Amino acid sequence: MCSHLTEQELLTGKTKECIYSKELPIGIPKKLYDDAMHYGTGLMTYEGDSIISAKIPDEYIMIESRITTLPVIKKPDFKSYVNFPVNKCILTADGELLESIEPVIAEKYQLEAQVFRSEPYFLEVLPKNVDKAYCLERLLKILGIEREEMVCCGDGFNDISMIQYAGLGVAMANAQEKVKDVADYITINSNDEDGIAEVIEKFFLK
């Protein structure tokens, strides 16, 4: 769990820790492994600067590796290895399969986690009540910045509160319609870096 920082720590830059984080209940990755085996999906989580794959990495896990530039590590026994807190697990498969199992997984974990597809091939399992707008509100208050000055970009369902909160909320081109519906601007680029460059050029380099 990330520690809550004092205002002085943030303002003086004495630490690089995050100010807010939530973690999944410790047993969820083990149960998700059983789900991945049952439904024939991939399963991954993160540890430090690595992606941990529960099975032989599928094409979708390799896409995530290329996008994030994080190496993929397959552990011989995922259920025994992941005995530490994680803040997200992702089931991976083609969109049709994930669409069919999404309601089943969401109902199964409804008391412990929230479940949504951030991409057609990603079914994310996150802690309940993860709210990025809440994080931003705390941070901006400490830094003395108004929300109208904030630009936020995202493409996942967990980005919706953040996009709505910001003065300029931006949805990436690859975001699903529910995310685009709340945005002030939608990029023509799906790649994060290109999308952010597009926003800077359009709104700040005039």
Side-chain angles (χ1 to χ4, degrees):
M1 180 69 73
C2 295
S3 62
H4 294 280
L5 306 185
T6 66
E7 180 174 350
Q8 186 64 22
E9 285 175 318
L10 277 170
L11 294 179
T12 57
K14 289 184 177 178
T15 176
K16 294 183 179 179
E17 294 178 273
C18 62
I19 66 165
Y20 180 74
S21 180
K22 290 188 176 182
E23 296 157 346
L24 287 170
I26 198 73
I28 283 187
K30 296 175 175 60
K31 291 188 282 187
L32 285 170
Y33 178 82
D34 294 333
D35 293 327
M37 296 300 291
H38 177 73
Y39 292 109
T41 71
L43 173 63
M44 67 178 180
T45 189
Y46 302 87
E47 182 186 23
D49 293 330
S50 300
I51 295 169
I52 306 301
S53 180
K55 304 161 69 174
I56 295 173
D58 61 19
E59 60 183 296
Y60 310 110
I61 292 177
M62 298 315 297
I63 290 173
E64 176 72 354
S65 176
R66 289 195 297 273
I67 291 172
T68 61
T69 68
L70 297 178
V72 178
I73 301 172
K74 184 196 176 299
K75 295 296 179 179
D77 187 348
F78 182 86
K79 292 178 76 169
S80 296
Y81 181 79
V82 183
N83 60 1
F84 50 87
V86 298
N87 58 24
K88 110 163 64 167
C89 284
I90 303 176
L91 294 168
T92 61
D94 67 83
E96 202 170 299
L97 174 57
L98 290 186
E99 184 177 11
S100 69
I101 68 173
E102 181 178 1
V104 180
I105 299 295
E107 182 177 2
K108 179 176 180 178
Y109 293 99
Q110 62 181 320
L111 299 179
E112 302 174 279
Q114 58 179 335
V115 177
F116 61 86
R117 281 198 302 154
S118 56
E119 300 284 352
Y121 44 82
F122 280 174
L123 186 60
E124 298 202 12
V125 182
L126 290 167
K128 287 187 71 67
N129 304 317
V130 169
D131 187 341
K132 292 186 178 181
Y134 170 72
C135 304
L136 281 174
E137 186 175 40
R138 289 186 60 202
L139 179 61
L140 296 185
K141 183 177 180 180
I142 290 170
L143 297 177
I145 300 173
E146 298 296 325
R147 61 186 290 183
E148 290 76 17
E149 301 174 65
M150 175 65 65
V151 180
C152 291
C153 303
D155 58 8
F157 289 161
N158 62 323
D159 295 325
I160 287 177
S161 68
M162 176 183 72
I163 291 171
Q164 289 177 313
Y165 179 84
L168 176 62
V170 178
M172 306 302 289
N174 61 324
Q176 296 189 41
E177 289 306 313
K178 189 181 291 188
V179 182
K180 292 179 178 178
D181 287 345
V182 303
D184 301 303
Y185 178 74
I186 301 168
T187 68
I188 59 173
N189 293 284
S190 296
N191 177 275
D192 289 350
E193 290 79 8
D194 291 339
I196 291 170
E198 177 187 333
V199 170
I200 292 172
E201 183 174 345
K202 182 173 181 64
F203 293 97
F204 299 101
L205 297 181
K206 295 184 178 180

